[in-house]
Amino acid sequence: MNRQEIKGKYEQFKRWQQEPVKYTNCDDVHYCNNCGLMFTGNFCPRCSQKADLGRINWNSVRNGIMDIWGLGTRSLLFSIWQLLLRPGYFISDYISGKRQVSFPPVKMLFIVTVIYSLVIYWLFPQVFGIHLYDTDEESRQLLGDYYQWYESHFSWGMLGMSVLAIIPTWIMFRYAPRNTRHSLPEGFFIQVLFSVLMVVLNFLLIYLELIDYAYYSIAISLCTMFYYIVGYMQLFGYGLWGTFWREAFILLTIIFIQFGLIFAFFAVDFGVMYDKQFSAGDMPPVKTLTACGLLFMAVMTMLAGHVINLIATRKARKSL
């Protein structure tokens, strides 16, 4: 395959990324078995039942079973495939009103995290005797209750991480060329779909974790960076540099908020962190000051990013 053919294939792939689904019209007259309406089209306009839905057969049994895990209509696997190949465009389709293209995002996040947790925390240890992410004892003591909570509430932990990114993303990308002034509820679904993508990437790279943790760490870091940069470029329309520095402010803000909340709400063992130099009576004030300091740094980081973003988008804001 020569260079021109490769370029042609790439251009074809780019066109598919921007518009992967083509709908066809059906002009045949149908009788709805559910509500009795005569209509033309693919679906009944009164009750939304499919036009070609006939008697129950073995395909109905298969689809009924597959629907439990989202493998039927609006397939979970189809949505994951779309997220992997066209993350930003797929998310943009969903928040712009094309809801039928995606499996319900929150339900999708919980299903993939349940499957991930079953494999990582039950199947591997119980069946194969493999313990992934086996944190050392010092880290377990340092993270205290947070580590135990996150390990047993992985779905809620991922959803919580999604929530932390909503406001920083809204602030840094509210004047973007594409999806301008996206709302906070739209931002919630943006982050949920990105969280689904991150869980799937972790799942796909498990084999590297089994071989060598160093390979896994490098691979997951590079994949995460790639998908967030490319996904945000497709979603909001900025170039590489414009997306990168905005992402940097968002990431720093999330890190400060996350660790501030960990210090504020979970029993972090400062004795481990500071080699037992604090007495038990000194720990609560230190925790409180540390949490407040981290949350203050989050606010200042976001404020700095907001000011820089206002300066960078002054021309774009005049045309809004």
Side-chain angles (χ1 to χ4, degrees), residues 24 26 51 70 82 88 109 113 129 131 142 169 184 219 222 273 298 305 316:
T24 58
C26 176
Q82 294 275 310
L109 176 60
T113 50
H131 294 272
L142 175 62
T169 300
L184 292 179
L222 291 176
M273 183 179 287

Side-chain angles (χ1 to χ4, degrees), residues 19-248:
E19 192 175 356
V21 180
K22 289 181 171 43
Y23 294 97
T24 58
N25 294 323
C26 176
D27 297 325
D28 297 335
V29 178
H30 301 279
Y31 174 82
C32 181
N33 293 324
N34 183 55
C35 66
L37 181 71
M38 299 291 292
F39 66 95
T40 58
N42 298 316
F43 294 89
C44 174
R46 179 187 290 168
C47 68
S48 302
Q49 182 161 287
K50 289 182 67 175
D52 58 353
L53 203 63
R55 297 187 63 181
I56 292 177
N57 52 30
W58 287 112
N59 283 332
S60 305
V61 175
R62 177 181 60 84
N63 292 333
I65 295 172
M66 293 176 69
D67 276 338
I68 297 174
W69 292 100
L71 302 178
T73 307
R74 285 191 292 171
S75 168
L76 173 64
L77 294 180
F78 173 80
S79 297
I80 291 173
W81 181 250
Q82 294 275 310
L83 275 173
L84 288 170
L85 293 183
R86 49 186 300 270
Y89 293 129
F90 179 73
I91 297 172
S92 180
D93 288 344
Y94 185 83
I95 66 172
S96 64
K98 297 180 180 179
R99 308 291 157 74
Q100 293 297 324
V101 302
S102 173
F103 189 78
V106 178
K107 185 178 180 181
M108 179 160 51
L109 176 60
F110 274 84
I111 289 176
V112 297
T113 50
V114 166
I115 295 173
Y116 180 84
S117 299
L118 284 174
V119 172
I120 299 300
Y121 299 116
W122 181 79
L123 183 64
F124 276 13
Q126 300 295 328
V127 178
F128 300 108
I130 301 171
H131 294 272
L132 297 177
Y133 317 126
D134 195 10
T135 311
D136 58 88
E137 188 61 30
E138 182 174 308
S139 297
R140 284 178 178 270
Q141 293 179 14
L142 175 62
L143 295 174
D145 294 339
Y146 174 74
Y147 182 86
Q148 297 178 9
W149 181 89
Y150 190 79
E151 192 176 47
S152 57
H153 299 82
F154 187 60
S155 298
W156 290 106
M158 290 301 298
L159 189 60
M161 288 292 294
S162 303
V163 171
L164 293 182
I166 294 173
I167 293 180
T169 300
W170 177 75
I171 291 175
M172 298 305 299
F173 288 96
R174 60 186 309 203
Y175 304 116
R178 192 177 300 133
N179 293 307
T180 307
R181 293 187 183 277
H182 74 279
S183 66
L184 292 179
E186 289 171 345
F188 170 78
F189 285 104
I190 289 172
Q191 299 308 323
V192 167
L193 287 167
F194 269 112
S195 295
V196 171
L197 183 57
M198 293 304 107
V199 176
V200 171
L201 288 176
N202 273 275
F203 194 83
L204 294 176
L205 295 173
I206 286 177
Y207 183 69
L208 292 178
E209 164 71 6
L210 296 174
I211 297 175
D212 191 325
Y213 180 76
Y215 293 150
Y216 167 81
S217 298
I218 294 172
I220 195 63
S221 298
L222 291 176
C223 286
T224 300
M225 182 182 300
F226 171 81
Y227 269 104
Y228 266 101
I229 294 295
V230 171
Y232 271 61
M233 286 173 63
Q234 294 176 354
L235 179 60
F236 293 111
Y238 282 121
L240 178 61
W241 172 243
T243 303
F244 180 80
W245 69 261
R246 289 176 173 86
E247 282 277 3

Side-chain angles (χ1 to χ4, degrees), residues 250-265:
I250 293 171
L251 179 61
L252 281 175
T253 302
I254 293 172
I255 290 173
F256 286 135
I257 294 175
Q258 182 184 12
F259 282 98
L261 294 177
I262 291 173
F263 279 100
F265 295 110

